[in-house]
Amino acid sequence: MIKPSMLRSLHSAVSRGSSHLARRGYSSESTPDRKVVVLGAAGGIGQPLSLLMKLNPLVSSLSLYDIAGTPGVAADVSHVNTRSEVVGYQGEGELGKALEGADVVIIPAGVPRKPGMTRDDLFNINAGIVKSLCTAISKYCPKALVNMISNPVNSTVPIAAEVFKKAGTYDEKRLFGVTTLDVVRAKTFYAGKAKVPVAEVNVPVIGGHAGITILPLFSQATPQANLDHDVIVALTKRTQDGGTEVVEAKAGKGSATLSMAYAGALFADACLKGLNGVPDVVECSFVQSNVTELPFFASKVRLGKNGVEEVLGLGSLSDFEKEGLEKLKPELLSSIEKGIKFASQ
């Protein structure tokens, strides 16, 4: 039996950011109406993500879309006694209705990684799915903030950008690659080694969202703990290999779906807070960027009413991090170019 206190803490985990409204004496009814769409809602990430978004009091309308299985997921989630109205949409014929009027569109659609599969093996299947979903977004909700979860993010974000450019709707402030799971892992692993409460930990993660392109900046971690160099190296490697760790532990039965759903819900909550005018909302995300010579790069981003308000710099890096940054650039660039090339075919 789940205790009420556990439910309350689960609820506050995804809506902690909206507590500023409660503190100021606002009811949830006085927060703006916001429509959130989950594309791929019946999948391994989509189902727990849909539940977590249902728990978020900033969401007034929750639209769940997939090619199959959505009516059941929507019926199930709709029974949760929180603010948002839930509607399920199934099949391509209903995609437009699912998207109309969206403020935030979260895309976990696609196939998951299986053992022995690289993120690039996923590429052709997921790239095609993303291309068609983004074509629909450009038509039905061109002003929505798009949160890309579908892997490989290093390529799917550039694909989305190219699709939107072709449609004449591209706004680089409204397209995000969700790299929050890398941050969540870095915080968790760091807290374990530094012996500090994980809730107090912050670790920026830059670069991309696969293997060595993931670069946690433990030199900037707070609270600062003087960890040995070999510990930092091991923590970096574990953060980079976090996805593989889960794929192997699930022994062919899936990939990181639950932790990814949690990370996706956190980032969507940050986007909603930004849209609602909450000040100083800063998260790491893979966005169009001038921070390095690469056209897309993950770093800290300030979120606001238009999406990206400011892409923040990298800050000072340790020698180990500088080396990691130079190593990741060629791989990240090739993934970005692969996405652009796919979109132009």
Side-chain angles (χ1 to χ4, degrees):
M1 180 72 183
I2 296 182
K3 293 178 184 161
S5 60
M6 278 175 69
L7 266 178
R8 280 195 299 276
S9 64
L10 173 64
H11 194 277
S12 67
V14 287
S15 59
R16 196 178 299 121
S18 27
S19 62
H20 73 284
L21 294 164
R23 279 200 305 275
R24 288 163 57 188
Y26 289 71
S27 70
S28 65
E29 280 67 36
S30 65
T31 65
D33 284 347
R34 294 292 178 199
K35 177 174 175 175
V36 173
V37 184
V38 180
L39 300 181
I45 297 167
Q47 290 198 39
L49 177 57
S50 298
L51 173 61
L52 291 170
M53 294 319 296
K54 179 73 175 105
L55 295 180
N56 191 318
L58 301 181
V59 182
S60 58
S61 168
L62 183 59
S63 172
L64 307 182
Y65 171 83
D66 214 319
I67 51 171
T70 346
V73 176
D76 197 354
V77 170
S78 73
H79 292 181
V80 173
N81 59 323
T82 54
R83 179 188 180 202
S84 53
E85 296 288 324
V86 181
V87 185
Y89 299 92
Q90 180 170 276
E92 282 182 32
E94 297 193 344
L95 179 54
K97 273 192 293 185
L99 289 169
E100 274 168 357
D103 293 290
V104 177
V105 179
I106 315 172
I107 312 181
V111 298
R113 238 168 115 200
K114 296 190 171 64
M117 233 184 175
T118 66
R119 287 184 190 269
D120 275 351
D121 293 333
L122 293 175
F123 180 83
N124 283 327
I125 305 168
N126 287 358
I129 293 168
V130 163
K131 195 173 178 180
S132 68
L133 293 175
C134 288
T135 303
I137 290 168
S138 69
K139 186 175 176 184
Y140 294 103
C141 56
K143 297 270 192 268
L145 303 189
V146 177
N147 292 187
M148 185 69 69
I149 291 173
S150 306
N151 273 316
V153 165
N154 293 351
S155 302
T156 54
V157 169
I159 288 169
E162 291 302 308
V163 169
F164 296 150
K165 281 176 192 171
K166 277 210 184 84
T169 64
Y170 183 53
D171 179 353
E172 72 271 17
K173 293 180 175 177
R174 295 176 185 272
L175 176 61
F176 303 88
V178 180
T179 59
T180 315
L181 182 52
D182 303 323
V183 177
V184 164
R185 286 174 173 147
K187 287 178 178 180
T188 301
F189 303 157
Y190 177 85
K193 290 291 182 191
K195 308 263 190 295
V196 292
V198 71
E200 293 168 16
V201 170
N202 205 4
V203 184
V205 181
I206 64 167
H209 183 60
I212 67 156
T213 71
I214 299 165
L215 186 61
L217 303 181
F218 289 115
S219 71
Q220 296 179 23
T222 54
Q224 191 53 254
N226 293 317
L227 299 176
D228 291 344
H229 177 69
D230 59 345
V231 175
I232 296 291
V233 172
L235 282 174
T236 301
K237 176 122 182 66
R238 191 176 176 205
T239 304
Q240 290 170 339
D241 294 343
T244 306
E245 187 178 308
V246 175
V247 167
E248 288 173 356
K250 289 192 175 181
K253 301 277 193 303
S255 58
T257 53
L258 302 173
S259 51
M260 184 61 247
Y262 167 73
L266 282 182
F267 188 74
D269 180 64
C271 287
L272 289 165
K273 283 190 277 184
L275 286 173
N276 289 354
V278 177
D280 299 318
V281 181
V282 176
E283 294 290 337
C284 293
S285 182
F286 184 66
V287 294
Q288 183 174 311
S289 172
N290 298 318
V291 163
T292 69
E293 63 274 25
L294 302 180
F296 294 90
F297 198 80
S299 66
K300 288 200 275 194
V301 170
R302 181 173 287 109
L303 299 167
K305 291 186 176 184
N306 300 303
V308 175
E309 292 297 328
E310 186 185 4
V311 179
L312 302 172
L314 303 183
S316 61
L317 309 187
S318 69
D319 289 344
F320 173 67
E321 290 160 357
K322 284 178 187 162
E323 192 184 315
L325 177 58
E326 291 315 309
K327 272 190 197 153
L328 73 81
K329 283 178 182 175
E331 184 166 323
L332 181 50
L333 181 60
S334 104
S335 297
I336 292 168
E337 287 175 339
K338 187 173 180 177
I340 293 169
K341 185 178 170 196
F342 178 89
S344 63
Q345 282 165 4

